[in-house]
Amino acid sequence: MQKEEIIKLNEELNSATPQEILGRILSLFGDKVALSSSLGAEDQVLTDMLLKIDANACVFTLDTGRLFPETYDLIDRTSRKYKTKIEIFFPDKDKVQEMVNSKGINLFYESIENRKFCCHLRKIEPLQRAFAGLDAWICGLRAGQAVTRSGINVVEWDENNNLVKVNPLAHWSEEQVWDYIHTNKVPYNTLHDKGFPSIGCQPCTRAIEPGEDVRAGRWWWENPDTKECGLHKR
């Protein structure tokens, strides 16, 4: 898709509902588009919307090997509710084994470089395999989630993966996300009820304190402007 086409598509979809955006993207890309789900609240909303439009649409997730038990439980509950099978991609076990044996089991606390290396092996490489054969991917980014996401558009060109990237909830608020979850009885991670608005790997996620932003519990030892794993590098 050319830059001009993306600009035109953004103009068309900027004021559309997430369901309208998903419908349009499915009509454009068919089985060459998939939802990449982190199992977070936003991605659960998109899973519900997407599978109501097309029960056979592709939804995949990444199992880093360090997820919370509650996240694994959510994968099972979601698959059963929607009578679908969320495709799961794993990191290369040999590369992870070498990393852990050379740098330590909790290397990510030692430096930003180590943390990003761990994220690369556990997330970026599996994601690249998941993208094989796709022309576009859908994710649950919202502009209000973090300073690193404030300038996102509904439709973007993902230069890192040479794919069209679609953010149907770009303009939604956190309140809209939870209103949709409760109204539509969407399954969600029970850690959200315990002060975890953003959930990743267990050793790199904590509950937030009152007044902190929604991603303050992710890699809390780093500065806000470095707190991305690389999946959404801009």
Side-chain angles (χ1 to χ4, degrees):
M1 181 172 280
Q2 300 297 316
K3 181 179 179 180
E4 295 75 16
E5 294 176 283
I6 291 177
I7 292 173
K8 186 176 180 181
L9 195 56
N10 260 312
E11 291 173 350
E12 174 190 341
L13 298 176
N14 195 50
S15 298
T17 66
Q19 292 93 330
E20 290 169 340
I21 294 167
L22 290 170
R24 183 75 171 97
I25 294 302
L26 285 173
S27 71
L28 281 174
F29 296 101
D31 61 1
K32 297 295 184 180
V33 62
L35 168 60
S36 172
S37 174
S38 67
L39 287 306
E42 289 83 1
D43 290 322
Q44 289 299 100
V45 166
L46 290 176
T47 296
D48 184 87
M49 291 177 174
L50 184 65
L51 295 178
K52 283 177 178 176
I53 296 170
D54 181 357
N56 296 314
C58 178
V59 180
F60 71 83
T61 193
L62 309 177
D63 182 354
T64 64
R66 303 294 302 261
L67 302 180
F68 285 89
E70 291 87 346
T71 303
Y72 292 113
D73 176 66
L74 181 60
I75 294 172
D76 185 57
R77 287 191 288 123
T78 302
S79 296
R80 285 189 282 108
K81 176 178 174 65
Y82 298 104
K83 297 179 175 60
T84 190
K85 184 173 287 186
I86 296 175
E87 193 170 3
I88 301 174
F89 289 84
F90 298 89
D92 183 295
K93 65 179 180 62
D94 293 328
K95 291 181 179 180
V96 171
Q97 180 174 289
E98 181 181 354
M99 174 184 69
V100 168
N101 284 328
S102 64
K103 294 179 177 292
I105 194 73
N106 289 332
L107 69 154
F108 31 79
Y109 296 135
E110 301 299 323
S111 69
I112 292 177
E113 290 73 23
N114 276 0
R115 197 272 294 168
K116 289 187 175 181
F117 180 52
C118 186
C119 285
H120 183 83
L121 290 191
R122 294 183 185 274
K123 295 182 179 182
I124 306 304
E125 287 194 1
L127 183 69
Q128 290 169 348
R129 282 188 273 113
F131 283 158
L134 296 181
D135 293 329
W137 66 298
I138 303 164
C139 64
L141 296 190
R142 292 188 299 104
Q145 285 173 324
V147 294
T148 54
R149 301 179 177 182
S150 59
I152 63 171
N153 294 311
V154 171
V155 185
E156 302 179 320
W157 177 249
D158 180 356
E159 291 187 7
N160 300 301
N161 299 295
N162 292 314
L163 294 171
V164 173
K165 182 178 180 180
V166 185
N167 308 305
L169 302 181
H171 305 315
W172 265 32
S173 65
E174 184 181 4
E175 182 180 11
Q176 285 175 293
V177 170
W178 284 102
D179 283 347
Y180 185 95
I181 286 173
H182 295 312
T183 300
N184 293 276
K185 296 180 172 56
V186 176
Y188 65 88
N189 198 317
T190 55
L191 288 173
H192 288 312
D193 295 329
K194 301 176 182 179
F196 291 78
S198 179
I199 303 165
C201 292
Q202 189 168 18
C204 297
T205 308
R206 65 160 173 80
I208 65 170
E209 301 295 333
E212 289 186 311
D213 72 74
V214 295
R215 286 178 61 81
R218 302 291 298 278
W219 309 295
W220 62 91
W221 60 93
E222 295 184 18
N223 294 323
D225 57 356
T226 68
K227 290 165 58 170
E228 290 286 357
C229 62
L231 296 180
H232 305 292
K233 186 177 179 181
R234 295 171 59 78

